[in-house]
Amino acid sequence: MDIRSASLDDLDALNDIAAIIDPPHDGADFDDTYCRHLLQHGRVVVAEASEILLGYAAAIDVDGSQHLSDLFVHQDVRGQHVGRQLLDAVWNGSASPRQTFSSLHPAALPLYVRAGMTPRWPLLYLHGAPERLPVSSFVVEPCDAEAAADHESGWLGWDRRVEYGYWSRRPEAKTFAVLDGTVPVAVGCAVNSRGVRSLGRLAFGDPAGAGHAFAAAARWCGDDVLVAVPGESDVVPMAVESGWRVVELDIYCATEPGLIDPKRLLPHPGLM
């Protein structure tokens, strides 16, 4: 088995591995834009034997930390330390802080803990009807991707222009700002994800207004919405009390605390 850097020539094989291990929902479109983005803007490594792809890992830089976007290993070679080799290769000797969202697969969390990433909090995937949320006085207006990234940079101190460009090009994407009067209090992007309308990103200027900003954004997003929410966020009790269901969860793991503020961000799991 060889571990090597991936290229655009591997795109179809990367998509095949991802679809096998994390299959799209029934009826959902599966496209290659996510893997293509990782290849162009992150670091992707693959494990292969006899020219057959056995797994891959991908990571991107987020404000000086390394975020592990994906780590997929084919079931035929699990238990053979392929995941650990891919993880070592994708870090490439970097001493930067590291983070990821671990699935609940039995092999995932132990691997990340051994790599020094401590479980910090759950990431809850909430699904529900925005009309059941409290009515917010905030309003939502379309906002171009660069302006949204500028607002987020001012609040959170990082530059996510490349990621906002990607999110804004997703199927039926709508980048927006949530306003208190004329003042932006949140920015984000609504997309179609696996056949469901998804609030794929939402960053808050002030965590004290996160719940009301989320309610306004969700109503603007659609009639039936999926969103990933840190367990520590004030959005969680509001959504649960409004009948939203927890349909899945991941675990946020990081080498040190404070890399992100879970009260100020509803992240994109793959790109943070």
Side-chain angles (χ1 to χ4, degrees):
M1 186 183 70
D2 294 321
I3 305 290
R4 61 169 176 81
S5 295
S7 71
L8 286 172
D9 291 338
D10 297 304
L11 186 59
D12 289 343
L14 294 174
N15 285 324
D16 289 344
I17 283 285
I20 290 169
I21 299 171
D22 188 22
H25 297 171
D26 290 343
D29 294 329
F30 190 83
D31 62 65
D32 65 8
T33 57
Y34 175 67
C35 284
R36 185 181 295 273
H37 178 84
L38 292 174
L39 285 164
Q40 292 174 334
H41 300 286
R43 175 171 171 77
V44 184
V45 296
V46 299
E48 67 176 359
S50 302
E51 299 184 351
I52 297 174
L53 193 69
L54 304 175
Y56 77 89
I60 61 168
D61 180 81
V62 179
D63 193 34
S65 68
Q66 290 293 306
H67 176 68
L68 182 70
S69 300
D70 289 318
L71 178 57
F72 291 138
V73 176
H74 196 280
Q75 62 183 8
D76 291 347
V77 292
R78 287 178 186 163
Q80 300 180 30
H81 308 293
V82 176
R84 180 66 209 211
Q85 293 180 68
L86 285 168
L87 198 57
D88 289 343
V90 81
W91 295 143
N92 196 30
S94 171
S96 300
R98 301 165 182 177
Q99 60 190 336
T100 193
F101 292 106
S102 173
S103 73
L104 297 184
H105 187 281
L109 197 57
L111 175 63
Y112 301 140
V113 170
R114 293 188 188 101
M117 290 183 282
T118 300
R120 305 285 176 179
W121 36 260
L123 182 71
L124 308 177
Y125 295 84
L126 299 173
H127 187 200
E131 66 181 14
R132 301 185 64 178
L133 296 168
V135 176
S136 172
S137 62
F138 295 158
V139 297
V140 180
E141 293 184 353
C143 174
D144 68 59
E146 187 166 343
D150 285 343
H151 286 306
E152 185 171 317
S153 177
W155 298 331
L156 303 184
W158 55 27
D159 183 357
R160 308 307 308 278
R161 286 179 178 82
V162 169
E163 286 74 28
Y164 268 98
Y166 164 75
W167 291 319
S168 69
R169 295 188 296 271
R170 297 294 295 145
E172 299 184 43
K174 296 193 295 183
T175 310
F176 61 86
V178 182
L179 308 177
D180 181 4
T182 60
V183 178
V185 295
V187 292
C189 191
V191 299
N192 283 350
S193 176
R194 298 187 167 197
V196 178
R197 195 63 176 160
S198 172
L199 187 53
R201 174 71 167 199
L202 191 61
F204 307 107
D206 182 353
H212 291 292
F214 162 72
R219 285 175 177 269
W220 188 79
C221 182
D223 297 328
D224 186 53
V225 173
L226 177 70
V227 62
V229 185
E232 297 185 13
S233 172
D234 293 339
V235 168
V236 173
M238 171 184 282
V240 170
E241 290 168 8
S242 299
W244 286 46
R245 297 181 298 110
V246 178
V247 295
E248 192 177 350
L249 67 87
D250 289 335
I251 304 294
Y252 173 70
C253 302
T255 54
E256 58 189 67
L259 297 181
I260 65 169
D261 186 343
K263 289 186 173 290
R264 299 186 69 174
L265 183 67
L266 308 189
H268 180 287
L271 300 177
M272 187 60 72

